[in-house]
Each structure stands twice: as C-alpha cells, then as structure tokens.
Amino acid sequence: MELINLNQSIAKNAHFIEEIGIESGQPVQKCYQCGKCTAGCPVAFAMDYTPNQVIRMVQLGMKEDLLKSKTIWICASCSTCSTRCPCNVEIAHVMETLRIMAGRSGTAPAGKAKYVEVMYNALLSTVEKYGRTYEVGLVLQNNLKSGKLFNGAEMGLPMFQKGKLKLSPSKVKGAAEVARIFSEVRKMEGGV
Amino acid sequence: MRYAYYPGCSYHGTGKEYESSTHAVAKKLGMELVEIPDWSCCGATAAHGKSHLLNISLPARNLAIAEDMGIMDVTTGCAACYQQLAHANKRMTENKETREKVNKITGKEYKGTLKVKSLVEAIGTIDPELLKAQVVKPLSDLKVAAYYGCLLVRPPEITGFDDPENPMFMDNMMKLAGAQALDWAHKTECCGASLGVSNLDVAVRMINRILKAAVESGADCVVVACPFCHLNLDWHQKSVNKQLGTTYEMPVFYFTELLGLAMGISPDELGLKTHFTDTQKVLSLVG
Ligand code: SF4
Ligand code: SF4
Ligand code: SF4
C-alpha cells in the first residue's frame, strides 16, 4: 500500500463511507480495532487485507483499495467474525456489500478473486437457465472461463463413477419464473 | 410432525447419501417430509456475491410455494440452503417493505408465516425417548467428532437454535445412538465452503486444520450435516493428502447415516457405499 492522505481520502469518499453503512446496515464507525475478527478468521492467511483492516479502511474511505482487494472475494462468509465482534459489526455482511459494490462498479477481480467471481457467474447462469444448479455444466463452464485447470476436471470422473454427477440438468417446471426473478432484479437495480 | 421439505440441488448428486438416509430415518421417526413442489435453487454460495435482492428473492420463491402447502414448518438438510431460506424468511417477516419488494420480483405472495428449521433442529428436537426407542444397534463406543461448520449455527440472529461456538445438537443425537461424542476444538471452524471449487489450494489448508483436530481428538469418524461440508472433508481429503503430504483416512458420515445404522437400516439403503474415503473400518466397528 502506498502512502495515502487520510484527510483527502475521507473527504473524497465521505459518500462511500455512508453508503457502506446504509447498504450493509452495519455500524462500521463503532469498530475500535480489537482484532478479534481477524484472530478467528479461517481465511486470513490467504487475504491481502485482514478483516479488521478492511473495516478500518472503510472508516478511512479507502474505496479503491477495497474494491480491488482479494479479501472481499475470498472471504468464505462463515460469519465467525460477525458472531464475535464486541461492537456487533457484522463484518461478513460488510464483505458481501463490498463484493456487490465491486461488481457494480465494474472493478475486475484478479487471480484468486477472479476464480471466485467466475464460479459465482457460472452457478448463477445455470440457475437462471434451468432453475437449479447443474453440476456438470458448472464444472465445464468454470473451466473455460477461468482458464485454470479447474480441480473439478480431475473431480469429474470419479464423481461420475459413484453416480454423483448427472450428465443432464434437471430443469424446474417453473424455470421461466426463476428467470423472471433475475430479470426483475436487473430492472430494479441494474446489473446482476 | 409434518414438514415442507426442501431437498436442495445436491440431493441427487454429491449429496445423495444424505438424501436417502434422511428419508429412511424420517420414516422410522414418523416425520413426514413433503417435498416443496417444483422447488428451485436457493442461490446459496453465489447470489450473496451479486445482489442483496437476488439473494432474498431466489429462496423467497420456495417460501411462497411452501406457504401454500398449508404446513407451518420448512426443513432442509443442506446447511447452505438452510441459511438461505432462514435469512430470506427473517428479512421478509421483519420488514414489510422488503417483503413487498421481493414478492413483486418473484410474482408470488409470501405472507411470512413459516418457520424454517434445519434438519438437525428438526430431528434434534424430537422426544429423546422416541429416538432411543428406535435404536436397535447402538453404535457402541464409536468415537465421533461432530462437525457443524459455519452456516448451520451462524450468524445466531438467523440460525439461533444451537450455540454458535459450542453447538451440541448433533452430539446429543449421537449419544442417543450409543456413540461417544467427543469434545473437540473445530466443531464450527469453516471448511472453506465453495473455496473447494474456486480455490482448492486455500480450501485444503482449512480442511487440513479440521481433519487434524479430529485425528488428535481420537475420533473414529467425523459427522456432518451438510453436503458441502461432506464434499470438502470426504472428497477433498485426497487433495489435502496430495497437496500437503498428509495421510488422512478419516471417514466422514452424515448424521442421518449414523442414526440410520443405529436404527438397523441397511448400509445400502443409507447410501454408505458411495463415499470417497473408505467407510469399511467404521462399519466393521459398529457391526
Ligand atoms: S471484531 Fe469488531 S471491533 Fe474488533 S476489529 Fe473486528 S470489526 Fe473491529
Ligand atoms: S466471514 Fe469472511 S472475514 Fe469473517 S471470519 Fe469468515 S472468512 Fe473471515
Ligand atoms: S445451495 Fe446448493 S444445494 Fe442448496 S439449492 Fe442451492 S445450489 Fe442447491
């Protein structure tokens, strides 16, 4: 992280700080950096900013660094942090809000974060199409899009042999209703 | 007890042993599980990364259909699905504005009258005497490490039926089935969930910590209540061994499989033959 001018950052991003507070519904201003969230976070070892750093960065209006961070994608949403925070900040929900904001702002995640985004998109596109998750389709799509030799490839055959992967999707009768949910949400908030 | 039952997308695939053992055990206990007609995906593991509204609306369609069934309680075995359904239910019952907005999106009217329970809660709140009466082959002295993971017990505002740091529901059920439920440190540590799909190198380190704690506690097996937990701990055990040079051979069971064994249901009917980590060692222990 380079040097930043905090006064400038806070002034420039006052709107962002407020927006996070409202959209996540979390009292982020209350955090006093005890570090309990990070101490219990099972994914902290793979993050670029730890959970307590993320909350501090929100307080300081460091919008760009946050939206570019790997942390907000790699967070496993386990809510250990939220359950333990003495100030009742649901940090997991702040992470989720930042992730959604990053998507809306068109900030492209890189590396490990990108793999997470690719998986989200692959999953949701099968749900939009069939109304349910379709595991084989997911494995293939994920492979193609992330350009990574997805571990599912080595996973596919033994799964199939145990009868645990179906080769055709099971389509919901109301698949059109599910597709409608996607289009209505898009209409309402633009995006998805 | 009647429940509107939500199978979840892994029901015929990666989680099929869970599905078959759930139905077999429910039958023994006189629980009626009525499948929610034409249920659709609840959006777990993905929708929350895209949109708050989508994340509530995908489960909401299922809640609306379930409400029309005239059954008060919804249950599901998948911890991720449970989290999704319970979260949407809470948001929609406590906030009228959210409810109306989401109903507009789904085109279905959910009034907010349902209770969402995890399968662990549904079976775990059955009269212990009734459960014990069904145990014909006690799992004598089998040492189990009950693993709850995260989404079943956290955040407590959404889940709330058990302690978020030291849950006991599965431990108590295992004791009723004659097993020895161990006190161990990683009951609620996250297994990495979908990181097992997107970033396996991160997930294996998380899975490793859980398996290591289970081995150190002296467990014969780990017991889970979620197809994702099972996938990570059972299937990815091989990846952990390969990537980290460990030698785990820890069988991982759904709690319904072990309850089923104790109730004398055959291993075939329970689906015990399709695990990735060999279960034979434990099966011979319990005869
Ligand atoms: S646990 Fe809460 S108060 Fe402590 S550092 Fe984390 S967010 Fe801040
Ligand atoms: S929810 Fe995310 S940030 Fe919080 S403890 Fe879990 S992985 Fe870490
Ligand atoms: S969480 Fe999984 S199992 Fe549950 S409905 Fe969605 S994709 Fe299916």
Side-chain angles (χ1 to χ4, degrees):
Chain A
M1 213 188 302
E2 6 62 269
L3 274 179
I4 53 157
N5 181 322
L6 291 181
N7 288 334
Q8 273 175 18
S9 173
I10 294 176
K12 192 173 116 208
N13 292 314
H15 178 66
F16 165 76
I17 303 172
E18 201 187 348
E19 203 184 331
I20 291 278
I22 293 172
E23 194 171 326
S24 70
Q26 297 310 310
V28 281
Q29 71 286 354
K30 280 199 188 157
C31 163
Y32 47 52
Q33 290 295 303
C34 69
K36 207 172 173 189
C37 48
T38 300
C41 174
V43 202
F45 70 87
M47 291 174 166
D48 43 5
Y49 305 115
T50 57
N52 70 300
Q53 284 178 327
V54 165
I55 302 300
R56 189 71 182 133
M57 287 163 77
V58 170
Q59 291 175 337
L60 297 176
M62 295 168 68
K63 179 175 178 178
E64 275 167 37
D65 296 284
L66 278 172
L67 296 191
K68 274 194 311 214
S69 80
K70 214 162 60 174
T71 297
I72 60 174
W73 292 96
I74 208 145
C75 154
S77 307
C78 74
S79 288
T80 306
C81 50
S82 309
T83 307
R84 295 178 183 170
C85 173
C87 300
N88 295 318
V89 179
E90 281 201 34
I91 300 114
H93 205 58
V94 175
M95 295 280 184
E96 181 180 305
T97 302
L98 286 165
R99 197 151 59 218
I100 291 171
M101 269 188 185
R104 273 207 305 260
S105 72
T107 311
K112 287 193 186 321
K114 182 179 159 214
Y115 301 144
V116 175
E117 197 205 25
V118 166
M119 186 200 64
Y120 285 169
N121 289 341
L123 235 149
L124 289 176
S125 73
T126 63
V127 174
E128 187 167 5
K129 226 197 238 139
Y130 304 112
R132 279 183 202 158
T133 308
Y134 167 40
E135 287 158 326
V136 170
L138 186 65
V139 171
L140 295 178
Q141 270 200 32
N142 213 342
N143 259 333
L144 294 175
K145 287 204 195 148
S146 65
K148 174 181 138 186
L149 240 194
F150 174 65
N151 32 63
E154 86 187 55
M155 182 158 161
L157 190 60
M159 282 266 173
F160 180 65
Q161 285 163 343
K162 299 258 182 193
K164 290 192 171 184
L165 269 189
K166 292 220 325 183
L167 284 179
S168 58
S170 73
K171 193 165 173 168
V172 176
K173 282 202 233 81
E177 290 176 20
V178 179
R180 173 205 145 104
I181 292 176
F182 281 82
S183 62
E184 288 295 314
V185 169
R186 263 185 213 113
K187 249 191 266 167
M188 251 184 226
E189 42 186 46
V192 175
Chain B
M1 191 70 179
R2 283 183 93 207
Y3 284 96
Y5 178 65
Y6 181 83
C9 297
S10 61
Y11 75 111
H12 56 39
T14 47
K16 66 179 189 170
E17 306 95 350
Y18 199 14
E19 182 70 8
S20 46
S21 55
T22 293
H23 286 290
V25 165
K27 208 166 118 197
K28 286 266 182 199
L29 293 171
M31 267 172 87
E32 199 186 338
L33 302 177
V34 190
E35 187 165 319
I36 298 173
D38 204 43
W39 58 273
S40 49
C41 177
C42 64
T45 73
H48 65 84
K50 283 286 167 179
S51 148
H52 301 298
L53 268 180
L54 184 68
N55 196 39
I56 300 178
S57 303
L58 286 174
R61 176 181 181 269
N62 299 291
L63 291 175
I65 299 176
E67 198 171 48
D68 279 344
M69 296 165 72
I71 303 175
M72 299 304 294
D73 298 281
V74 179
T75 192
T76 178
C78 172
C81 299
Y82 162 63
Q83 172 83 204
Q84 284 296 95
L85 293 168
H87 173 259
N89 196 36
K90 180 153 165 55
R91 296 282 170 264
M92 288 178 81
T93 45
E94 73 185 8
N95 187 324
K96 187 159 167 252
E97 206 183 307
T98 304
R99 183 166 69 241
E100 284 168 356
K101 212 176 193 178
V102 171
N103 283 344
K104 220 165 113 198
I105 292 172
T106 59
K108 290 191 187 298
E109 174 76 13
Y110 178 56
K111 294 187 211 64
T113 59
L114 295 173
K115 265 195 123 156
V116 178
K117 292 183 180 170
S118 77
L119 190 69
V120 169
E121 183 182 6
I123 299 184
T125 46
I126 285 178
D127 179 1
E129 291 308 316
L130 208 142
L131 207 152
K132 241 167 55 199
Q134 292 298 328
V135 174
V136 292
K137 276 174 70 183
L139 309 171
S140 298
D141 301 325
L142 182 68
K143 292 201 257 351
V144 308
Y147 173 72
Y148 297 75
C150 40
L151 297 176
L152 192 62
V153 290
R154 283 196 300 266
E157 304 79 60
I158 305 289
T159 57
F161 69 94
D162 208 340
D163 189 295
E165 301 281 5
N166 187 22
M168 286 303 290
F169 263 64
M170 273 201 281
D171 294 71
N172 292 337
M173 285 189 265
M174 288 302 114
K175 284 182 207 157
L176 288 173
Q180 193 183 329
L182 301 168
D183 201 10
W184 68 304
H186 285 56
K187 277 183 163 180
T188 62
E189 192 80 11
C190 173
C191 69
S194 62
L195 286 172
V197 177
S198 62
N199 288 284
L200 187 59
D201 54 332
V202 176
V204 288
R205 292 178 61 179
M206 301 169 75
I207 299 165
N208 177 42
R209 290 197 284 235
I210 296 163
L211 292 173
K212 185 162 178 266
V215 169
E216 281 167 2
S217 72
D220 297 316
C221 62
V222 174
V223 191
V224 300
C226 172
F228 287 113
C229 301
H230 195 267
L231 194 69
N232 278 347
L233 296 180
D234 179 50
W235 164 252
H236 283 319
Q237 205 170 120
K238 203 179 61 194
S239 308
V240 175
N241 286 342
K242 205 161 125 193
Q243 294 193 22
L244 304 179
T246 48
T247 53
Y248 297 116
E249 283 177 56
M250 177 64 75
V252 183
F253 294 94
Y254 291 104
F255 77 103
T256 44
E257 290 178 314
L258 289 190
L259 286 181
L261 276 180
M263 292 174 178
I265 304 168
S266 79
D268 276 350
E269 191 183 344
L270 295 169
L272 289 171
K273 302 281 165 65
T274 48
H275 286 221
F276 292 105
T277 306
D278 194 33
T279 54
Q280 204 48 51
K281 202 172 61 188
V282 166
L283 291 182
S284 52
L285 262 176
V286 301

